[in-house]
Amino acid sequence: MSLVELLRTATRSVSANKFRAALTMLGVVIGVASVIAMLALGNGARAAVDATFKTLGANQIQIGQRFEIQDGKFEPVGKKLTYLEGLDMASNAPLVERVEMSVSKSVKARYGRNSIEINANGVTADGLKGLVSSGSVQPVTWDGKSPLTEGAFVGSGRFFTLDEVYAGVSVCVLGYQTALDLFAGDEPVGQVIWVNRTRCTVIGVLAELVNTDLENRYQSDPNKALLMPISTMIQQLFEEEPSVYMTAHIVDANRIEDARGQIATYLRERHQVGKDAEGNFQDDFDMTTRSDILGQQQEAARTFSILLAAMALVSLIVGGIGIMNVMMVSVTERTREIGVRMAVGAEPLDIVLQFLLEAVLISASGGLAGIVLGILAIPVAASLNNGVALLLPGSIPLAFGVALLTGVAFGLFPAMHASRLDPIEALRYE
Amino acid sequence: MRRTIIYTVNLTRNYQVGDQVLPVLRETNFSVRQGEFVALMGASGSGKSTLLGLLGLLDRATSGEYWLEGLAVFTLTQNELSALRGKRIGFIFQNFNLLPRLSAWENVALPLSYQNGNYSQEEQRQRAKEALARVGLNHRLDHYPMKLSGGERQRVTIARALITNPAVILADEPTGNLDSRRGEEIMRLLRELHQDGSTIVMVTHDTSIAGYANRICTMRDGVLSEN
């Protein structure tokens, strides 16, 4: 029998039992839908990790206070990481070129009658350098060719110096929009503004900036800025000293592990870190590099794949057994039909193909329905997971292929069984 | 002298029941020439249906030879048997054995659809139409078996047996499920086919039905005898 005729025969007998076919394909539908949705979750998670990845350069080490679960709560352990430790790090760990730190707080800034609510940032004297090297913003007036210098980011006045940061001098640098909001066109440099209850001299205004990555919706407006020395901000505006999150920039990316050692030695000395019974340091800080994140990502991806594979396997086996069951019933019900087809010249292969095609038709329909359901389930899965889920385009052919394979694998036995019936007995079957 | 269609030499069929070997057909020598209409009579269990199954290539003999149109059937493979059955044998069953989901013409064309792509859908329909016309059912082409009377169903079965112009038509109690009037109609139709040149071997236990044949053989305990 030609493939077209076989397909027509299979379509006919599947559609003659639509409800049964629909119930049968349910297992495959759920299996395929979960493959699509789970792969989308994994894909979304990977995209999120990739985004973090971009912000952490190959020559950077992130340092933060260690958190551990204590009495069911996620609590910081040991001593805080202070901004002073950050300021002194470069001179104690020779491989560290500079350390970026930042604290932020929502404040009320006032000049004369103008007052605004704004998120103030405490940074180091390298804060401007960090802004330039991040590449995420650029001056509006930049021609796109000449090398971007720190100077190009300053509209008027200057940025604060390392000495001013060490001394905790009460100075600030305003973003372009912030300056307009407070001074309404007057010259801000040299004027004194109030930040909450602290007097603060404006020493500079940033150039007007734009975000370079327009797709990133999570960026704040770079022109609504109020920058202060981190020391001044912590001393004047914080009730207690916060633990600071630092990014150490290393001289040479190839020596990042050496730098990690230097930083650890420095911080252990400062925090007087002791050793446990086995002679390991009981650090109260954690360091993260790009390769750490990569390792975690691979670990997570591996765990995830195993979980996904197990889930897909179980649901598709259940779906496949459903198909096998229904096909066995179908073969029994149609024993006479099989006998007749054999009597009019059907070869065993014709019978095998007929029933196999029916099974594949059911599983393929289930696969298509599962793909649709899976795509519809992606937003639901994302919301349940508090995260992003992104359809992985490759998951559609993969899921469909697996559905087809299920049909073949579980349809084969009933089909072979049908083709081996004794025609005489089949014709007499009641 | 007419051509020999069926020729068997010591054809034997034993069934294995537990440890016992049950001989159902014993060393049968049977031949049918072209154009003959043979009635095989006998009580149930006499082996007549077993012989029909062997002649129809649905079953394999335990020993002996079977030649169909000069072809040594006992040497063929399973697939060769299937192909030969589809092309050279036509079956008429007591319980019609039509496929309920196929229309009358599709049932009739079924043997053609298994002859690997030799016939297009249109050719199949045309040939089925001609075969149905021969049994007087050309107005019932698209009816499904459920909508046909018993006599009409048996005519569709006969049309299906005719469509390939087989070497022999094998009929197993063709009137067994019909009342006597419909049964007579069917037998008259078979006689017409016989008069048109078809070779027919029919199994029956009814002497009045056997009277339509031009040669009657009787089976008893697996042994065939000519009347």
Side-chain angles (χ1 to χ4, degrees):
Chain A
M1 205 179 233
S2 74
L3 207 63
V4 179
E5 279 181 287
L6 280 169
L7 200 63
R8 189 166 36 227
T9 306
T11 316
R12 238 168 153 168
S13 78
V14 169
S15 56
N17 278 309
K18 285 194 193 70
F19 187 62
R20 185 158 85 179
L23 283 180
T24 310
M25 60 182 72
L26 212 56
V28 176
V29 172
I30 293 169
V32 165
S34 57
V35 169
I36 299 266
M38 295 299 279
L39 279 176
L41 277 179
N43 191 33
R46 185 156 44 243
V49 171
D50 284 348
T52 334
F53 216 40
K54 273 185 197 155
T55 63
L56 189 64
N59 67 329
Q60 295 172 12
I61 302 176
Q62 283 184 340
I63 312 152
Q65 189 175 1
R66 176 168 293 181
F67 276 69
E68 279 172 7
I69 297 172
Q70 289 172 334
D71 302 331
K73 279 182 279 183
F74 208 46
E75 301 264 21
V77 294
K79 297 196 172 102
K80 289 171 181 170
L81 272 178
T82 65
Y83 74 91
L84 271 173
E85 286 161 0
L87 290 175
D88 290 343
M89 189 176 287
S91 47
N92 288 281
L95 283 170
V96 175
E97 184 196 1
R98 63 187 161 92
V99 173
E100 278 177 22
M101 299 176 278
S102 172
V103 291
S104 73
K105 191 180 170 78
S106 179
V107 298
K108 187 182 252 183
R110 186 167 65 79
Y111 175 72
R113 290 184 166 184
N114 298 334
S115 94
I116 53 170
E117 288 278 342
I118 192 165
N119 208 34
N121 280 295
V123 296
T124 66
D126 289 324
L128 195 55
K129 195 180 277 179
L131 204 61
V132 177
S133 64
S134 75
S136 61
V137 290
Q138 65 192 37
V140 171
T141 55
W142 186 46
D143 59 10
K145 281 173 244 156
S146 52
L148 275 176
T149 60
E150 289 164 52
F153 280 68
V154 179
S156 60
R158 61 175 180 84
F159 207 75
F160 36 81
T161 64
L162 184 59
D163 287 340
E164 283 168 328
V165 174
Y166 267 113
V169 179
S170 200
V171 292
C172 61
V173 173
L174 302 181
Y176 182 80
Q177 186 63 45
T178 313
L180 280 181
D181 289 345
L182 285 176
F183 291 93
D186 294 345
E187 175 55 46
V189 175
Q191 301 298 327
V192 173
I193 63 168
W194 287 91
V195 178
N196 286 357
R197 290 184 190 80
T198 303
R199 283 165 56 89
C200 192
T201 307
V202 179
I203 57 165
V205 177
L206 296 179
E208 188 178 3
L209 304 172
V210 284
N211 286 323
T212 51
D213 184 4
L214 297 175
E215 308 229 323
N216 189 345
R217 286 166 294 150
Y218 303 106
Q219 286 183 129
S220 53
D221 183 350
N223 295 310
K224 285 186 179 168
L226 194 165
L227 303 174
M228 295 170 74
I230 189 168
S231 49
T232 317
M233 180 132 168
I234 286 171
Q235 288 158 14
Q236 305 293 336
L237 299 175
F238 279 72
E239 280 155 26
E240 70 176 303
E241 166 118 24
S243 192
V244 184
Y245 207 56
M246 304 172 189
T247 303
H249 290 245
I250 309 307
V251 181
D252 180 356
N254 294 324
R255 301 188 62 191
I256 199 154
E257 288 309 312
D258 295 339
R260 198 205 282 258
Q262 289 180 356
I263 294 168
T265 308
Y266 163 63
L267 288 176
R268 281 169 190 153
E269 194 187 345
R270 289 286 280 248
H271 290 190
Q272 291 161 332
V273 170
K275 289 183 179 177
D276 64 14
E278 282 141 35
N280 298 318
F281 284 106
Q282 293 180 295
D283 288 340
D284 55 2
F285 54 89
D286 276 316
M287 286 186 277
T288 310
T289 63
R290 181 184 262 205
S291 57
D292 292 338
I293 295 181
L294 192 65
Q296 287 161 12
Q297 184 196 346
Q298 282 166 343
E299 179 95 349
R302 195 159 38 240
T303 313
F304 201 77
S305 321
I306 292 169
L307 193 76
L308 170 71
M311 191 170 158
L313 198 70
V314 167
S315 52
L316 286 169
I317 285 177
V318 171
I321 289 172
I323 289 178
M324 180 141 79
N325 188 18
V326 163
M327 290 312 296
M328 286 307 287
V329 170
S330 178
V331 167
T332 307
E333 276 178 354
R334 288 153 67 191
T335 301
R336 281 258 295 277
E337 172 183 334
I338 294 162
V340 171
R341 287 181 184 277
M342 287 174 165
V344 300
E347 291 176 10
L349 185 65
D350 288 317
I351 305 293
V352 170
L353 285 179
Q354 180 189 339
F355 284 92
L356 197 57
L357 223 58
E358 267 180 47
V360 170
L361 206 65
I362 291 174
S363 70
S365 310
L368 286 180
I371 287 168
V372 173
L373 190 71
I375 291 172
L376 292 177
I378 288 175
V380 182
S383 65
L384 288 177
N385 193 41
N386 274 333
V388 222
L390 214 62
L391 176 67
L392 188 70
S395 66
I396 291 177
L398 175 79
F400 191 65
V402 169
L404 283 184
L405 209 66
T406 307
V408 173
F410 289 90
L412 200 59
F413 177 73
M416 298 290 281
H417 174 70
S419 77
R420 285 179 187 154
L421 290 177
D422 174 5
I424 290 187
E425 277 174 31
L427 282 166
R428 286 200 197 121
Y429 186 84
E430 290 300 326
Chain B
M1 189 77 174
R2 293 202 173 185
R3 194 157 73 92
T4 300
I5 302 290
I6 288 172
Y7 184 67
T8 73
V9 181
N10 295 338
L11 202 63
T12 300
R13 181 68 169 100
N14 299 329
Y15 286 131
Q16 188 87 27
V17 182
D19 296 340
Q20 275 193 306
V21 175
L22 209 69
V24 188
L25 191 68
R26 301 168 198 258
E27 306 193 326
T28 302
N29 297 302
F30 179 56
S31 64
V32 177
R33 292 184 186 282
Q34 185 169 32
E36 276 191 302
F37 185 172
V38 184
L40 275 179
M41 297 200 62
S44 63
S46 62
K48 60 188 196 296
S49 291
T50 300
L51 178 57
L52 202 71
L54 288 169
L55 298 180
L57 312 176
L58 292 170
D59 193 9
R60 277 177 184 277
T62 309
S63 66
E65 296 173 10
Y66 172 21
W67 302 75
L68 178 67
E69 296 184 293
L71 194 67
V73 165
F74 53 97
T75 63
L76 299 181
T77 66
Q78 192 65 44
N79 282 347
E80 288 167 337
L81 283 179
S82 295
L84 190 63
R85 192 191 303 141
K87 286 187 178 126
R88 303 309 295 154
I89 309 272
F91 286 99
I92 301 171
F93 304 100
Q94 177 177 4
N95 51 15
F96 322 134
N97 276 331
L98 296 174
L99 302 192
R101 278 195 288 274
L102 300 185
S103 67
W105 82 263
E106 287 170 321
N107 264 292
V108 172
L110 201 60
L112 297 184
S113 71
Y114 284 109
Q115 295 188 10
N116 296 322
N118 288 344
Y119 298 92
S120 71
Q121 194 78 0
E122 292 72 41
E123 286 171 315
Q124 288 187 21
R125 194 182 153 93
Q126 189 52 41
R127 290 280 298 269
K129 203 170 158 182
E130 288 162 17
L132 280 166
R134 280 186 76 184
V135 299
L137 272 184
N138 40 347
H139 58 296
R140 290 274 193 264
L141 238 56
D142 294 309
H143 284 61
Y144 284 83
M146 285 284 283
K147 303 278 184 190
L148 298 173
S149 70
E152 286 174 325
R153 285 182 208 181
Q154 195 58 300
R155 283 162 189 270
V156 174
T157 312
I158 294 169
R160 182 176 65 191
L162 286 174
I163 195 165
T164 55
N165 291 320
V168 59
I169 293 174
L170 302 176
D172 191 0
E173 306 270 9
T175 60
N177 275 12
L178 300 172
D179 61 42
S180 54
R181 204 163 70 84
R182 307 283 170 216
E184 262 173 50
E185 282 175 22
I186 291 299
M187 287 319 298
R188 278 202 294 272
L189 179 59
L190 286 181
R191 192 166 57 191
E192 275 172 40
L193 296 178
H194 167 231
Q195 282 160 359
D196 289 348
S198 292
T199 311
I200 303 171
V201 176
M202 174 179 69
V203 160
T204 185
H205 59 269
D206 185 336
T207 28
S208 66
I209 295 296
Y212 284 87
N214 67 343
R215 177 180 154 202
I216 297 176
C217 300
T218 308
M219 291 282 296
R220 187 170 292 122
D221 296 330
V223 178
L224 186 78
S225 58
E226 203 87 22
N227 287 32

